[in-house]
Amino acid sequence: KTDRSYACWLQVERIGEPALRDSYARRCGEIAVVGEGAVLHTAADELAAGIAAMLGDVPVRTAGQPRYARHLLLGKLQDLPAEIRVSLADAESRLGEEGYVIKTCGDRIVLAGNTDRAVLYAAFRLLRLMACGCGPEELSILDKPANGLRMINQWDNMDGSIERGYAGKSIFYRNNRIVDDLTRVRDYARLLASVGVNAIAVNNVNVHDEETRLIDRHLPDVSRLADVFRAYGIRLFLSVNYASPVQIGALETADPLDPGVRKWWADIARNIYNAIPDFGGFLVKADSEFRPGPFTYGRDHADGANMLAEALGPYGGLVIWRCFVYNCLQDWRDRTTDRAKAAYDHFKGHDGRFKDNVILQIKNGPMDFQVREPVSPLFGAMTETNQLLELQITQEYTGHQRHLCYLVPQWKEVLDFETYAKGEGSTVAQIASGALYNRKYGGMAAVSNIGDDLNWTGHLLAQANLYGYGRLAWNPSLSSEEITREWIVQTFGPDPVVADTVSRMLLESWNIYESYTAPLGVGWMVNPGSHYGPNVDGYEYSKWGTYHYADHAGIGVDRTVRTGTGYTAQYHPPRSDEYESLERCPDELLLFFHHVPYTHKLKSGKTVIQHIYDSRFEGAERAQGLVEAWRSLRGRIDESRYNQVLERLEEQAEHAKEWRDVINTYFWRKSGIPDALGRKIY
Ligand code: GCU
């Protein structure tokens, strides 16, 4: 663990600037902790370690009354001395459970909130302020998360593999057991807590045989995992197999309306809460991609989810029910079935039927984490159902962490997307958080991108995606630029040349990746199975419902009401009209919504075919540009981290040429239309 990449954005280097260092040093010599809780002590430990590293002196720790006039004071607001509470005015009522205040009064800095967890977030915030060069004078911060649930989904299997994992093996499991040494899990919990994550589902949504037993046989080990996360304020969830009563319970059915089944789950819940009193709940992939579910028994999603909700309800547990449900045995000849419509069609009709402790987890797009797709119309379609926005940090369709693809700008577009469900201001961020319809639960979940690679994420710069996810889940209105800067300074230090260069690289990388892969929102064009590398027709004649319909004359999927599948009607006006209209549909989504001739003119003034050629050529060049940009940083970044990134960027540049040539060649052969600039196409 000596490589610096292991510490990610928690490098805590000695502060170089003497004035800044002194200013913190005069207030950070003593950490006074009011209260006993484990999470509060985590906060104090983190502060002590961070301060020691950044200032060079280990602070004194006191319990209760501070010994010196100059100090850092942390604790729950209600436990703090009256005069301090008065100085924080009405904070108590404004902070909720997880919000915090950081306030400098002379030579004292107070970190407080209504819970220990809030104090932990304050501690990490103060360390971030220090790392980012922000002085302690006059600090007066009141911050609270926009989203109640800020969740991570691990797609880890107990054999140690990770579904769609690109950074080594699982840090949780080996040989069908939970690992004994949880040091690495603890370090992960720390990274997650530092950006405000408060929930984690620790196993793959596709629950295989051994994993089905996490709820019984492996419970003592799951409880050890929960202990580690609890110290960092993170609640543990499990993905469960809907057929568990049959598979491990020896029942003949898993019918949600069967009294025996209901009792079976109630018993399971009781056992779990005996072992893990703050257990978060279940994450469920049911009736999706061959996973069992209530359909088998002629029941629907609401029946299925409510039955589990009833079992967990008495303990405050949640059921997170995924909406990634579609027909994955489609016939490619069938032009009427449209996978994009599936989630909305399956769930909208059940609005209002789900119990209060059920949350529907909805992928950002209607298909599956493509580099570009529209926002799922299910956001804005339900007013009486708790919802959670699901994102994918792991780069399944965006280059397997071998390509640089910084996803924060994409997620920002999703969060800021205006659904018009309740007029203007009905953004996805407002819907997911629960604010728009005043829902009890809401927030964000994302599939993790980490494994046991020393640098966690394979591509070192992919750490920025994990960081950015956490920051956005806390505060969706942060800008991509702010998040990017923060990450760079904490990861590589204050060198402005590094900050400018890396920031530009990250912020352009999504667009670069898009420009040499599938064009104009059409998606896929990847090798089946792995989803890596170009294969234009890889999914064209498959059962998965993912087609581009390219022929000699044109390309794209007609999803209009007038002549196509009718998908555009799932949006509210004026969105539905915008997508329906060939003239008004945004260029970048054109082929998602319309089938057009190659000679169709885009808003940019180019024809579709010329756009395909131009952006593939430019994309490959810009990928090469990333290599050069990084090379310009040689000597400014330690050699080990410099080299590991360089290696990946060089591989990306090569692979981008492959993408360029495969796609260009395919369309030149299909269309017979030459490149206007006469460049080499094969
Ligand atoms: C994608 C992915 C699968 C995953 C699924 C899901 O289809 O390729 O590996 O299981 O999403 O989200 O459930």
Side-chain angles (χ1 to χ4, degrees):
K1 293 177 194 169
T2 48
D3 191 282
R4 296 193 58 175
S5 62
Y6 186 81
C8 294
W9 52 87
L10 297 175
Q11 298 285 328
V12 288
E13 272 196 64
R14 194 174 153 83
I15 296 177
E17 209 197 304
L20 184 68
R21 205 169 55 227
D22 290 350
S23 192
Y24 273 108
R26 61 182 288 139
R27 298 172 171 97
C28 297
E30 177 184 5
I31 300 180
V33 186
V34 187
E36 297 298 331
V39 176
L40 191 58
H41 281 276
T42 307
D45 292 346
E46 288 294 339
L47 274 176
I51 286 167
M54 286 197 260
L55 303 180
D57 285 318
V58 181
V60 183
R61 284 267 285 270
T62 43
Q65 262 309 89
R67 216 180 297 163
Y68 306 102
R70 301 167 164 186
H71 60 259
L72 260 175
L73 181 68
L74 40 158
K76 279 198 285 224
L77 277 162
Q78 60 184 76
D79 299 337
L80 297 184
E83 79 271 13
I84 292 179
R85 287 169 68 180
V86 169
S87 76
L88 300 176
D90 58 346
E92 232 153 315
S93 60
R94 292 165 57 204
L95 290 175
E97 243 188 79
E98 299 184 299
Y100 58 79
V101 284
I102 301 179
K103 191 159 173 82
T104 305
C105 311
D107 286 342
R108 165 202 287 150
I109 307 176
V110 180
L111 282 70
N114 288 323
T115 60
D116 289 351
R117 201 142 36 99
V119 181
L120 178 65
Y121 298 139
F124 279 120
R125 175 70 177 272
L126 184 66
L127 292 171
R128 189 186 309 136
L129 290 168
M130 293 174 78
C132 292
C134 179
E137 306 84 11
E138 334 242 326
L139 282 178
S140 182
I141 296 173
L142 189 153
D143 195 13
K144 65 177 178 186
N147 290 300
L149 263 174
R150 304 178 299 280
M151 187 173 199
I152 284 286
N153 291 178
Q154 297 297 138
W155 281 3
D156 295 39
N157 300 314
M158 290 190 74
D159 64 4
S161 64
I162 304 176
E163 180 146 346
R164 311 303 176 187
Y166 310 109
K169 294 262 180 208
S170 173
I171 63 167
F172 294 85
Y173 311 103
R174 199 48 50 95
N175 302 323
N176 285 327
R177 293 202 48 226
I178 292 175
V179 294
D180 291 323
D181 180 358
L182 296 179
T183 314
R184 183 115 198 213
V185 174
R186 183 194 158 274
D187 290 345
Y188 184 41
R190 185 172 171 251
L191 286 169
L192 295 180
S194 76
V195 288
V197 167
N198 65 359
I200 186 166
V202 293
N203 62 304
N204 188 0
V205 288
N206 296 313
V207 184
H208 308 296
D209 289 346
E210 196 63 36
E211 293 81 0
T212 300
R213 310 228 64 148
L214 283 166
I215 55 175
D216 66 349
R217 186 197 290 154
H218 295 288
L219 202 49
D221 277 335
V222 175
S223 166
R224 283 197 298 125
L225 274 183
D227 292 344
V228 172
F229 283 109
R230 183 180 306 109
Y232 280 91
I234 300 170
R235 274 171 96 187
L236 183 137
F237 288 67
L238 289 173
S239 299
V240 294
N241 179 345
Y242 201 81
S244 296
V246 178
Q247 214 160 304
I248 64 175
L251 299 195
E252 261 159 27
T253 176
D255 180 353
L257 300 191
D258 180 280
V261 171
R262 298 175 95 91
K263 175 166 186 317
W264 189 87
W265 280 109
D267 291 344
I268 287 284
R270 195 188 50 243
N271 290 342
I272 294 177
Y273 281 92
N274 275 336
I276 309 168
D278 60 349
F279 180 68
F282 296 150
L283 173 61
V284 196
K285 173 175 179 178
D287 290 313
S288 158
E289 297 185 330
F290 313 109
R291 304 314 301 160
F295 288 2
T296 311
Y297 310 98
R299 314 298 184 195
D300 60 36
H301 291 289
D303 298 328
N306 287 343
M307 181 269 292
L308 294 174
E310 197 177 280
L312 298 173
Y315 314 95
L318 303 174
V319 173
I320 301 180
W321 192 269
R322 295 178 84 231
C323 296
F324 184 58
V325 180
Y326 67 98
N327 174 7
C328 60
L329 292 171
Q330 196 177 321
D331 186 333
W332 58 268
R333 301 166 192 83
D334 163 19
R335 298 286 291 251
T336 56
T337 306
D338 180 2
R339 171 167 163 181
K341 292 167 76 176
Y344 180 103
D345 284 348
H346 274 285
F347 286 93
K348 175 167 167 66
H350 298 310
D351 189 23
R353 286 189 55 216
F354 293 97
K355 283 189 180 292
D356 274 356
N357 58 332
V358 175
I359 310 175
L360 297 189
Q361 181 165 309
I362 307 166
K363 287 192 183 183
N364 62 273
M367 297 298 273
D368 194 7
F369 300 136
Q370 299 303 290
V371 66
R372 173 80 65 179
E373 55 179 301
V375 165
S376 169
L378 200 46
F379 291 107
M382 293 179 293
T383 59
E384 291 167 80
T385 305
N386 302 318
Q387 296 167 54
L388 206 56
L389 165 65
E390 178 177 332
L391 302 172
Q392 194 185 43
I393 312 174
T394 194
Q395 289 173 238
E396 175 177 357
Y397 290 98
T398 50
H400 286 200
Q401 283 141 247
R402 311 206 70 80
H403 292 231
L404 179 63
C405 190
Y406 180 54
L407 292 164
V408 168
Q410 186 200 52
W411 299 334
K412 277 297 285 182
E413 283 194 15
V414 172
L415 288 160
D416 293 345
F417 181 80
E418 181 63 86
T419 68
Y420 297 103
K422 213 171 141 184
E424 295 214 357
S426 310
T427 60
V428 170
Q430 287 294 311
I431 293 167
S433 71
L436 191 71
Y437 295 113
N438 209 0
R439 301 300 315 165
K440 181 158 180 203
Y441 297 110
M444 289 163 61
V447 185
S448 175
N449 64 347
I450 69 108
D452 72 353
D453 278 3
L454 192 56
N455 71 5
W456 299 91
T457 51
H459 201 310
L460 182 126
L461 298 183
Q463 292 175 355
N465 281 328
L466 184 61
Y467 180 86
Y469 165 70
R471 297 290 290 129
L472 275 182
W474 181 278
N475 181 0
S477 59
L478 290 171
S479 71
S480 297
E481 290 73 16
E482 273 173 281
I483 295 172
T484 311
R485 285 266 154 181
E486 279 180 5
W487 178 78
I488 295 168
V489 173
Q490 291 171 89
T491 303
F492 294 118
D495 182 342
V497 177
V498 173
D500 286 345
T501 308
V502 178
S503 172
R504 230 175 305 118
M505 291 172 67
L506 288 172
L507 291 170
E508 287 181 3
S509 60
W510 172 42
N511 185 263
I512 293 175
Y513 188 80
E514 181 177 17
S515 69
Y516 57 76
T517 56
L520 300 169
V522 80
W524 316 95
M525 301 195 173
V526 287
N527 282 302
S530 75
H531 301 165
Y532 189 70
N535 186 343
V536 181
D537 281 340
Y539 276 100
E540 197 55 17
Y541 305 98
S542 75
K543 60 191 179 191
W544 297 96
T546 51
Y547 315 113
H548 55 66
Y549 300 126
D551 60 19
H552 72 287
I555 177 173
V557 190
D558 184 352
R559 294 192 159 101
T560 63
V561 171
R562 214 168 48 83
T563 51
T565 67
Y567 167 76
T568 57
Q570 293 186 347
Y571 293 90
H572 296 274
R575 274 294 171 216
S576 45
D577 304 331
E578 182 191 354
Y579 292 151
E580 177 79 13
S581 151
L582 186 56
E583 290 71 43
R584 290 170 52 211
C585 182
D587 279 352
E588 69 273 13
L589 288 170
L590 185 71
L591 303 181
F592 192 93
F593 287 105
H594 298 274
H595 185 93
V596 297
Y598 295 118
T599 50
H600 173 83
K601 270 234 169 79
L602 297 170
K603 292 199 190 33
S604 68
K606 287 184 186 177
T607 60
V608 166
I609 190 76
Q610 197 55 40
H611 167 88
I612 292 176
Y613 296 149
D614 286 353
S615 47
R616 292 337 87 175
F617 280 115
E618 280 159 26
E621 260 172 49
R622 290 168 73 201
Q624 184 57 44
L626 291 172
V627 177
E628 267 119 53
W630 187 256
R631 283 215 181 103
S632 76
L633 299 178
R634 186 174 197 151
R636 293 179 182 272
I637 288 172
D638 56 285
E639 219 171 303
S640 159
R641 290 193 295 176
Y642 174 81
N643 285 331
Q644 48 173 295
V645 173
L646 182 62
E647 206 178 286
R648 298 256 159 161
L649 293 173
E650 282 171 343
E651 183 185 336
Q652 174 182 3
E654 268 315 296
H655 199 226
K657 290 187 209 151
E658 182 71 6
W659 269 101
R660 173 196 68 194
D661 293 337
V662 170
I663 294 201
N664 281 345
T665 301
Y666 178 95
F667 285 105
W668 151 235
R669 291 182 188 174
K670 274 259 160 171
S671 70
I673 303 174
D675 170 32
L677 299 182
R679 288 162 292 193
K680 178 89 182 154
I681 299 179
Y682 297 84

